[in-house]
Amino acid sequence: MSYLVLARKWRPQVFEDVVGQEHVTRTLQNAIKTGRVAHAYLFTGARGVGKTSAARILAKALNCINGPTPVPCNICESCKEIAGGSSMDVFEIDGASNTGVDDIRELRENIKFPPIKGRYRIYIIDEVHMLSTNAFNALLKTLEEPPPHVIFVFATTDPQKIPVTILSRCQEFDFKRIPALLIQERLKEIAESEKIKITDRGLHIIAREADGGMRDAQSILDQVISFAGEDVSDEDVAKSLGVIDREVLKNVVKSIMERTPAGSIKVVERVYDYGYDVRLFCKNLLEYIRNLTVLKVIKDPGQLIDLPDGEIAELKTLSDGFSQDELQQLFAILSRGEEELKRSSSPRLSLEMTLIKMATLRPLIPVSELLERVKGLEEGLGVRGLGKKEVEKMRSLEAEKKISTSQPLNLSASVSEEKVEAHIELEEPGDTWKSFMQLVRKKRPPLASKLEHGRLIELSDTEVRVGFDKGIYLDMISKEDIKALEEMLNGYLSRSMKVAIVPLVKESKAHEPVKKEQPRQPIIEEALKVFGGRIVAESMASK
């Protein structure tokens, strides 16, 4: 006898064998028990999730010698004929091959005849969405009022293409994708029955690659057995399917956590040498980081992470090495890297650079921790020899750095010159201006590129003053740009604002002697450590 593939050998024979579709099978069984069997059903869902198998089981349940029964016997002549596809009362029609109106007219003529052996004549039309418009129109009247001995069961992977007039005449059941863990359990039963040695990890890889389809999972298991024989290792599964072992993904994440980019580069080399698709590797790594993030925010993820308990425990341990903000930042960097891979002529190099960026990312400091450090600066520095007077002195030094400028620029006139001290030119922009610049970059990118060459001088309740060096960048700001900037500021700050564009002029004081650099106050040194900053200018009062 010729070999029978696992997908056919282990095809469901009763409703209980249909994995992951309890919402469908239970409804059909109850309908049979209560005698509320509809004249037309529509089964929708992805490929290989049990639509046609459920239709056959329904046909057996209705025409079984013990039926109608929710549990067909599978030993009577009717059940065997339906299972073998030779029943004279059950017709399986391929919608893709019988799309014409003539095929439907022939079907309409035949349904008038009563069943030969069973109780019902059952028509199972697979991929029904492939029927032509004329064929659907020819089916309408028959489908609405069929003879009492006829039942239609339609199956489709694309219900959107079915006319609503047909949908309204059917009871619709949506078959879901089967979770990987349920597929794994079913494959384990098959492997034990077939005397195949394979680990749970190997079965899970197969289940994950099946993407929710039981038939695909059984076909993949057949392929793996053909490759490795009856004793299948995890490496055999990965090699035969060309998939990335999750151990590789874990090593990459570990190298990122330990800030060792060399480890990431070695993993990329291994992926490339084995011939794996680097784009697929990037996609799998994105899913891995996503799972780490889910475990960070949800203690019991349930079905959100479709992995064995052992792997979830490993992920949990690994996620403890990252903060939530770090994981989200890593995901964002990798997402941008994946987009670059799609356009890159050298995907390996792009992936290496992305992983190096992730592995060298500076650790983020939570805002709450920064606030605690500021509080420690202001209140706890006395323990280090700094008293209240020193703290007040540091505050006074900040006050002395306030910018003094001339009258604002008259927007109706040309840009006037204004002298600004050199240390004012180097002043860092405030948080409000930075946030507003993000809005400008989003709505007016050309204007934002111009403003990036200037420096914020003053941001008051009624005016914003921006300084530019004399030259091309100063001339680039037009009156239209200023008007647009004012409109955006008014909306952003919810008050009337004016914009002044002023030239920056550095004044050198050659007559003053050069002073030696004085050591900084300890409080300033501590502030630099807290915020990771640097001194860009100091007022004379701090010397």
Side-chain angles (χ1 to χ4, degrees):
M1 178 181 287
S2 60
Y3 174 70
L4 191 63
V5 297
L6 295 179
R8 291 183 58 192
K9 183 177 181 180
W10 290 90
R11 190 167 194 167
Q13 299 300 320
V14 293
F15 286 118
E16 286 75 10
D17 291 342
V18 182
V19 178
Q21 311 298 344
E22 288 78 10
H23 63 293
V24 175
T25 57
R26 181 180 177 182
T27 304
L28 293 176
Q29 286 179 303
N30 288 338
I32 295 172
K33 288 179 183 178
T34 58
R36 302 178 65 86
V37 179
H39 64 272
Y41 292 96
L42 175 64
F43 293 166
T44 67
R47 70 181 190 276
V49 293
K51 300 186 297 297
T52 308
S53 295
R56 283 188 178 183
I57 296 171
L58 177 62
K60 288 191 293 184
L62 294 175
N63 280 347
C64 178
I65 193 173
N66 300 323
T69 173
V71 184
C73 68
N74 284 317
I75 58 176
C76 68
E77 184 179 1
S78 176
C79 288
K80 288 182 178 180
E81 287 179 350
I82 294 173
S86 59
S87 174
M88 299 296 293
D89 295 326
V90 178
F91 305 91
E92 291 193 32
I93 302 171
D94 180 15
S97 304
N98 301 273
T99 61
V101 65
D102 293 337
D103 299 312
I104 300 302
R105 286 173 179 166
E106 182 181 353
L107 182 150
R108 288 172 53 186
E109 293 297 324
N110 292 334
I111 65 174
K112 299 176 182 179
F113 302 106
I116 297 176
K117 295 182 179 180
R119 300 175 186 83
Y120 298 94
R121 289 175 69 90
I122 301 173
Y123 291 86
I124 301 173
I125 304 180
D126 198 12
E127 299 300 339
V128 68
H129 66 274
M130 299 293 288
L131 294 181
S132 65
T133 302
N134 291 334
F136 276 124
N137 292 334
L139 187 62
L140 279 177
K141 188 63 178 178
T142 302
L143 189 61
E144 186 172 16
E145 297 178 359
H149 59 267
V150 173
I151 292 177
F152 290 98
V153 182
F154 303 133
T156 178
T157 56
D158 198 354
Q160 291 81 8
K161 294 182 179 180
I162 299 177
V164 292
T165 51
I166 297 292
L167 293 175
S168 64
R169 290 165 169 80
C170 303
Q171 284 191 12
E172 184 176 352
F173 292 90
D174 186 15
F175 284 65
K176 303 176 182 178
R177 291 186 184 274
I178 307 172
L181 293 179
L182 293 180
I183 295 179
Q184 178 182 341
E185 292 175 5
R186 181 62 171 169
L187 293 182
K188 188 173 183 179
E189 294 176 7
I190 295 175
E192 290 175 353
S193 179
E194 297 289 330
K195 295 181 173 52
I196 304 298
K197 294 181 180 180
I198 184 171
T199 65
D200 290 342
R201 188 182 185 88
L203 290 174
H204 184 75
I205 294 174
I206 295 174
R208 192 176 69 244
E209 288 300 306
D211 195 23
M214 181 63 73
R215 185 178 64 232
D216 288 359
Q218 293 169 345
S219 298
I220 294 172
L221 178 59
D222 240 339
Q223 176 184 340
V224 170
I225 295 173
S226 299
F227 174 81
E230 296 183 353
D231 192 356
V232 183
S233 66
D234 296 346
E235 188 176 357
D236 291 333
V237 176
K239 284 183 178 180
S240 62
L241 301 182
V243 298
I244 306 297
D245 191 348
R246 299 188 73 82
E247 193 70 23
V248 176
L249 301 175
K250 184 172 74 173
N251 291 337
V252 172
V253 174
K254 277 186 174 181
S255 68
I256 293 172
M257 181 175 62
E258 296 168 358
R259 305 287 191 270
T260 54
S264 300
I265 297 301
K266 290 180 180 178
V267 170
V268 175
E269 182 181 10
R270 177 183 174 187
V271 168
Y272 190 79
D273 289 343
Y274 272 84
Y276 297 138
D277 186 353
V278 294
R279 296 178 178 86
L280 178 60
F281 169 79
C282 192
K283 178 182 177 182
N284 292 338
L285 185 56
L286 270 174
E287 181 186 2
Y288 199 90
I289 296 177
R290 174 262 181 193
N291 290 340
L292 292 176
T293 308
V294 171
L295 287 172
K296 199 71 179 176
V297 299
I298 303 178
K299 293 182 179 179
D300 185 13
Q303 295 298 323
L304 292 175
I305 299 180
D306 200 5
L307 292 172
D309 293 339
E311 286 198 39
I312 291 180
E314 289 182 1
L315 287 174
K316 179 63 177 174
T317 303
L318 200 57
S319 69
D320 292 339
F322 297 94
S323 68
Q324 180 181 337
D325 291 337
E326 286 174 334
L327 288 172
Q328 290 178 335
Q329 193 171 11
L330 291 174
F331 189 90
I333 294 173
L334 190 58
S335 296
R336 291 193 295 269
E338 184 186 29
E339 291 298 322
E340 293 177 2
L341 283 178
K342 296 176 182 178
R343 302 186 299 267
S344 176
S345 59
S346 302
R348 175 184 176 179
L349 303 182
S350 299
L351 178 60
E352 288 177 343
M353 294 302 103
T354 299
L355 294 181
I356 289 175
K357 184 176 182 180
M358 295 169 67
T360 55
L361 189 67
R362 293 182 62 184
L364 297 176
I365 303 176
V367 175
S368 58
E369 184 177 341
L370 280 175
L371 293 176
E372 288 296 326
R373 292 188 183 187
V374 171
K375 185 177 180 181
L377 264 177
E378 293 189 343
E379 299 178 359
L381 286 177
V383 180
R384 299 181 175 89
L386 296 176
K388 185 176 180 180
K389 291 183 179 180
E390 284 78 3
V391 175
E392 292 296 333
K393 184 177 180 180
M394 189 180 85
R395 289 175 177 169
S396 66
L397 292 179
E398 282 296 319
E400 292 176 8
K401 288 188 177 181
K402 288 187 176 179
I403 302 169
S404 60
T405 58
S406 60
Q407 295 299 319
L409 176 67
N410 185 359
L411 299 183
S412 61
S414 60
V415 177
S416 62
E417 293 192 359
E418 183 166 347
K419 295 184 179 180
V420 184
E421 295 293 335
H423 68 274
I424 295 175
E425 176 192 351
L426 299 173
E427 179 86 359
E428 291 291 335
D431 292 338
T432 302
W433 181 252
K434 289 182 180 178
S435 301
F436 175 68
M437 281 297 295
Q438 293 180 1
L439 176 65
V440 178
R441 292 188 188 97
K442 183 177 180 181
K443 292 188 175 182
R444 299 287 295 271
L447 178 56
S449 63
K450 296 178 183 179
L451 291 175
E452 287 174 353
H453 295 287
R455 296 187 184 277
L456 175 67
I457 295 178
E458 182 181 2
L459 175 59
S460 65
D461 292 339
T462 59
E463 184 183 46
V464 170
R465 300 168 68 79
V466 183
F468 286 81
D469 289 327
K470 289 184 177 180
I472 184 173
Y473 297 124
L474 181 62
D475 298 334
M476 285 170 60
I477 305 296
S478 64
K479 293 181 180 180
E480 289 75 13
D481 292 334
I482 294 175
K483 183 178 179 181
L485 200 57
E486 286 180 338
E487 292 177 355
M488 296 177 68
L489 266 173
N490 294 343
Y492 184 74
L493 299 177
S494 300
R495 59 177 184 265
S496 179
M497 298 290 295
K498 290 294 183 180
V499 176
I501 304 298
V502 298
L504 296 176
V505 179
K506 297 182 181 180
E507 290 188 350
S508 61
K509 299 181 180 180
H511 60 280
E512 294 185 0
V514 178
K515 295 184 178 181
K516 294 183 179 179
E517 183 179 355
Q518 299 295 328
R520 299 189 185 101
Q521 293 288 344
I523 186 109
I524 298 178
E525 295 289 351
E526 186 67 23
L528 293 177
K529 292 180 181 178
V530 169
F531 295 103
R534 59 186 178 86
I535 298 295
V536 297
E538 297 185 40
S539 65
M540 295 303 297
S542 64
K543 300 289 184 179

